[in-house]
C-alpha cells in the first residue's frame, strides 16, 4: 500500500500496514506473529529487559533474517538493545530464554549486552544506555 513510503520516512511512528494490530498493546507494532515496542528513551540493558517483562514481553528475540530486516527498517538512526546477553566476553551469548545463540549473525565488540546499530549487531557494557526493542507473540 502507499503507507510503505511513509514508514520509510518515519520508521518508528506507524503500525505495519499489513498486520492487524488489535492484538498488540497500544503503541506497539504488529508484524507477522509478534508485537514490537520501540522505546523513545535510553536505559541500560537490565532496565530495558525489566520494562519489556512488565508487558509480558522480553527484549526482542530475532528468529529470522526477514525479522532482522524489519527491525533494522523500524529502528531509525538509533542503537537499540536486543534480547542477547552474556556474563563476560569468555561466555557464550544467550537469548532471554537461556538458549545459547547459534551465531546466525555477528556480534561485534566485547560487551555483555547486544544492540542493533547502523552496521549490524554490536555489544555494550551493562551500564551503557540505549533505546531498546521489546517483542512478544501476538495475543500474549
Ligand atoms: C501478564 O501475564 C499475567 C499472567 O498470565 C497476567 O496476569 C497479566 O495481566 C499480564 N500482564 C500484561 C501487562 O499483559
Ligand atoms: C540459528 O537460529 C536462527 C533463529 O534463532 C535460525 O533461523 C537458524 O536456522 C539457526 N541456524 C542454525 C545453523 O541452527
Ligand atoms: C529460545 O529462543 C531462541 C530465539 O528465539 C529460539 O531459537 C530457541 O528455540 C528458544 N529455546 C527454547 C527452549 O524455547
Ligand atoms: C540500570 O539502570 C537502573 C535505573 O535506570 C539502575 O538502578 C541500575 O543500577 C543500572 N544498572 C547498571 C548495571 O548500570
Amino acid at each position: 500500500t502507499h503507507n510503505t513510503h511513509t514508514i520509510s520516512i518515519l520508521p518508528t511512528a506507524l503500525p505495519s500496514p499489513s498486520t492487524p494490530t488489535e492484538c498488540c498493546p497500544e503503541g506497539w507494532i504488529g508484524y507477522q506473529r509478534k508485537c514490537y515496542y520501540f522505546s523513545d528513551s535510553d536505559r541500560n540493558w537490565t532496565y530495558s529487559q525489566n520494562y519489556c517483562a512488565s508487558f509480558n514481553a522480553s527484549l526482542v528475540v530475532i528468529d529470522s533474517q526477514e525479522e532482522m530486516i524489519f527491525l533494522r527498517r523500524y529502528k531509525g538512526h538509533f542503537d537499540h538493545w536486543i534480547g542477547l546477553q552474556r556474563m563476560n566476553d569468555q561466555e557464550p551469548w544467550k537469548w532471554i530464554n537461556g538458549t545459547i545463540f547459534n551465531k546466525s549473525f555477528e556480534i561485534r565488540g566485547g560487551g555483555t549486552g547486544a544492540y542493533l546499530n547502523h552496521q549490524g549487531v554490536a555489544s555494550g557494557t551493562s551500564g551503557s544506555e540505549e533505546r531498546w526493542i521489546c517483542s512478544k507473540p501476538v495475543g500474549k
Side-chain angles (χ1 to χ4, degrees), residues 23-95:
C23 296
C24 293
E26 182 84 28
W28 291 48
I29 295 167
Y31 176 71
Q32 296 190 340
R33 309 286 312 146
K34 294 186 194 175
C35 302
Y36 298 90
Y37 172 82
F38 292 79
S39 81
D40 289 327
S41 53
D42 294 356
R43 293 288 188 279
N44 62 41
W45 191 94
T46 304
Y47 178 100
S48 303
Q49 166 55 19
N50 288 340
Y51 178 93
C52 298
S54 73
F55 290 90
N56 289 340
S58 72
L59 279 174
V60 64
V61 163
I62 304 168
D63 289 311
S64 67
Q65 187 59 28
E66 193 180 8
E67 189 174 11
M68 179 68 95
I69 291 165
F70 163 78
L71 295 170
R72 294 183 61 76
R73 185 155 55 90
Y74 271 79
K75 77 172 193 55
H77 299 297
F78 302 97
D79 296 348
H80 286 73
W81 292 123
I82 63 172
L84 280 167
Q85 69 169 165
R86 60 181 175 180
M87 298 306 292
N88 59 57
D89 66 5
Q90 307 302 311
E91 294 292 318
W93 288 99
K94 290 181 179 172
W95 291 109

